[in-house]
Amino acid sequence: DDRKLNWLKKAGKEEEFVPVSGALVCLDNREGYEGWVRAMVGGRSYAQSAFNRAADAVRQPGSAFKPFVYLTAFEHGRTPDDIVHDGPINIRGWKPSDFEGKYKGDITITEAFADSSNVVAAQLTDELGPKQVAATARRLGITSPLDEVASLALGTSGVTPLELTGA
């Protein structure tokens, strides 16, 4: 419908307009319906493409993977009030950093989670072992193959939106 295209065209000149695609997954959390799909959009037009981006597109989840890291840490004795260091690190030659390139020093795990600290998530994954983090993700519903490496903490292994939302 032309109204839908008009708001997309406002972002730039009409000749620069490039159609985009995306996916949406909404699951139910009501008692008795937990995990049921309430809404799922897998693309713009089934007539143009039958590929379901919500169920079949494998993408790196990025920071959306970090809850698996923190859950694994809590299950292995860490607490939200534990102090961790948000600063430059080197994990066998890998030097993760945050998007802004700024560090906060000693902070609680709660603060690290709220700030989405890449450094702390990577440290915890290294401390716990990537296999443990991957096992937590699998237990909660991730079925895509996961590379059991430190960078798993930053969502470097591809998953589908449907399985990530479900997990």
Side-chain angles (χ1 to χ4, degrees), residues 85-129:
H85 188 72
D86 179 39
I89 60 168
N90 185 328
I91 301 174
R92 289 172 296 291
W94 177 49
K95 298 176 183 179
S97 63
D98 289 314
F99 180 74
E100 301 85 19
K102 297 177 184 176
Y103 301 101
K104 293 195 170 184
D106 291 340
I107 58 175
T108 65
I109 285 184
T110 299
E111 291 171 295
F113 181 76
D115 291 341
S116 191
S117 170
N118 289 342
V119 170
V120 172
Q123 284 179 32
L124 289 172
T125 299
D126 187 51
E127 171 190 313
L128 300 160

Side-chain angles (χ1 to χ4, degrees), residues 21-40:
S21 62
L24 169 101
V25 177
C26 178
L27 301 181
D28 207 326
N29 69 348
R30 295 175 297 164
E31 188 175 334
Y33 299 94
E34 295 93 343
W36 288 29
V37 176
R38 283 191 78 139
M40 182 166 68

